Amino acid sequence: MSGMTTVNQAVTLILNSVSPLPSEKVAVAESLGRVLCEDVRSGRNVPAFANSAMDGFAVRWADLAAASSAAPASLGIRGGLAAGAVSRKRVLPGTAIRIMTGAPVPAGADAIVRVEYTETRGDRVAVFRTDGLGSHIRPAGEDIRKGQLVLERGRLLGAADIGLMASIGKATVRVRRRPVVAIVATGDELIGVEDRPSRGKVVNSNDYTLSSAVREAGAVAKSFGIVRDSRTRLAATFRKALDCDALITSGGVSMGDYDYVKDALEDAGVRMRFWKVAQRPGHPMAFGSKGPRPVFGLPGNPVSSLVSFILYVRPTLLKMMGHESLFMPVVRAKLAHDIKTAPGLKEFIRCRLEEENGRFLASSTGTQSSGVLRSLSLAQALVVAREDQTMLRKGSHAPAILLDHRSRWLQREMGF
């Protein structure tokens, strides 16, 4: 517990202390964004029957092999077939059955003629051309064959995967359980969002920030509200909160006379692993555990709290949910101006990103005070300065952690 833990040491220690949670069975519709815990095999062919890929006519290729604009083939129409219907009629020599997209191909047919290649004349159809034997027929099992492995365990389920499972009739699926994360805000100075701040009081924004960040990561947030600066009250709340899969506290982790979080966590049975990290913002970040449950003591300053969440809590929750990709994307960014940094600390500088000749150009969002949450709201990236750097020079390059890859500035016009 003496001295400061480096950022890399903290990440390694934290991630090595947690394991993926057990699996649970959920409805397929509720499995989006979850990690698959079973191999999924199909019990049926998809499609289950040969069907038409076009609106047109089901025909016998032998009747149309010589059809042309100059000499169209003339076929008798034996009725029509809509999607969802099954024809009792067979396509006989010299005949055709009108067919809609998705309808089962009737017996006797071995090609579908597009409607635009035809002209209906009473109870007969003139066919001017075809696209060949077997054209526009989707065979049974074209998408999926019975017994085929369609999804492998460990996959992060997306929208297409959900539809795929629905198409094979899989109503429930086994996925990794989402952690329930307890959030406890500490401090006599905190008030609720509905309250009017008086002198010396501040709104408990961390509860909202951290709860949202937990949900954004795919986990379940459970707020325990504000707990005043009392070791006894804090310990009692922490004991209840430790019924959850993980615990996040905000505030009370510095060295002040009223910072009781460390002692209260230990009273609740938490083994503290470190109490300071060589970084800015977030220097007083703490970590411990009780059994398999990770416990994060985040600083009270809003920027420090959220940056620490991004660096440590988010990847931990993703690992608990079985994800393989745990970290935010990192790019190289060119500095638009000089940025002074703190010696001996790894610094995460809130920056805007712009494009310059297809590359990223980073500029500070302004003051880097750990109490200015708007500076983080304005940022698209955290530019990383090493511990041995005291200045990031204009024109130099540095790693930049992307905070939101969906942002407007990352969007590109489609050009094919």
Side-chain angles (χ1 to χ4, degrees), residues 7 69 72 90 93-94 144 150 185 214 332 340 374 413-414:
V7 171
S69 298
R90 184 182 183 88
I144 301 167
V150 294
V214 166
R332 297 286 292 177
K340 188 176 181 180
R374 187 168 185 270
E413 294 294 328
M414 281 192 289

Side-chain angles (χ1 to χ4, degrees), residues 5-178:
T5 304
T6 68
V7 171
N8 290 348
Q9 287 171 340
V11 170
T12 300
L13 188 154
I14 292 169
L15 291 181
N16 285 344
S17 73
V18 296
S19 300
L21 293 175
S23 66
E24 64 178 353
K25 187 168 283 190
V26 301
V28 161
E30 302 301 319
S31 65
L32 182 66
R34 308 284 289 274
V35 173
L36 187 62
C37 289
E38 61 175 307
D39 289 338
V40 176
R41 293 185 179 275
S42 179
R44 62 177 69 161
N45 285 329
V46 178
F49 49 85
N51 67 91
S52 177
M54 292 284 177
D55 292 343
F57 289 86
V59 298
R60 297 173 69 252
W61 165 245
D63 291 336
L64 306 176
S68 67
S69 298
S74 179
L75 304 174
I77 301 173
R78 300 201 72 207
L81 187 56
V86 178
S87 177
R88 296 179 179 275
K89 298 178 180 178
R90 184 182 183 88
V91 176
L92 301 173
T95 69
I97 292 177
R98 191 186 304 274
I99 193 168
M100 300 296 109
T101 302
V105 176
D110 55 13
I112 304 295
V113 177
R114 299 172 184 244
V115 68
E116 54 264 38
Y117 295 167
T118 68
E119 181 180 301
T120 300
R121 300 169 180 173
D123 61 356
R124 300 190 69 80
V125 59
V127 180
F128 302 100
R129 59 174 287 193
T130 71
D131 289 326
L133 179 66
S135 57
H136 311 305
I137 293 177
R138 300 183 184 121
E142 178 187 49
D143 185 4
I144 301 167
R145 300 179 307 279
K146 184 177 180 180
Q148 180 180 346
L149 176 65
V150 294
L151 295 171
E152 293 186 16
R153 69 177 65 215
R155 184 180 182 87
L156 182 62
L157 295 172
D161 303 323
I162 307 304
L164 186 63
M165 289 187 286
S167 73
I168 64 173
K170 189 168 181 61
T172 61
V173 63
R174 188 162 290 282
V175 294
R176 193 69 61 190
R177 187 167 67 78
R178 297 189 297 167

Side-chain angles (χ1 to χ4, degrees), residues 251-275:
V253 293
S254 295
M255 302 300 292
D257 292 340
Y258 299 99
D259 293 329
Y260 300 122
V261 168
K262 173 180 177 294
D263 292 335
L265 286 172
E266 290 177 339
D267 291 345
V270 175
R271 178 194 173 200
M272 299 309 302
R273 307 295 295 277
F274 61 79
W275 199 255

Side-chain angles (χ1 to χ4, degrees), residues 5 7 276-286 297-312 341-342 345-351 367-373 375-376 381-385 401 403:
T5 304
V7 171
K276 294 178 183 178
V277 183
Q279 69 180 58
R280 190 169 80 170
H283 170 63
M285 215 287 292
L298 304 187
N301 282 320
V303 174
S304 300
S305 181
L306 185 52
V307 168
S308 296
F309 181 95
I310 292 167
L311 296 176
Y312 307 109
T341 62
L345 301 176
K346 182 166 284 190
E347 188 159 354
F348 300 91
I349 303 143
R350 288 145 265 168
C351 286
T367 176
Q368 295 296 301
S369 167
S370 58
V372 181
L373 187 56
S375 67
L376 191 52
L382 297 174
V383 168
V384 184
I401 302 170
L403 297 178

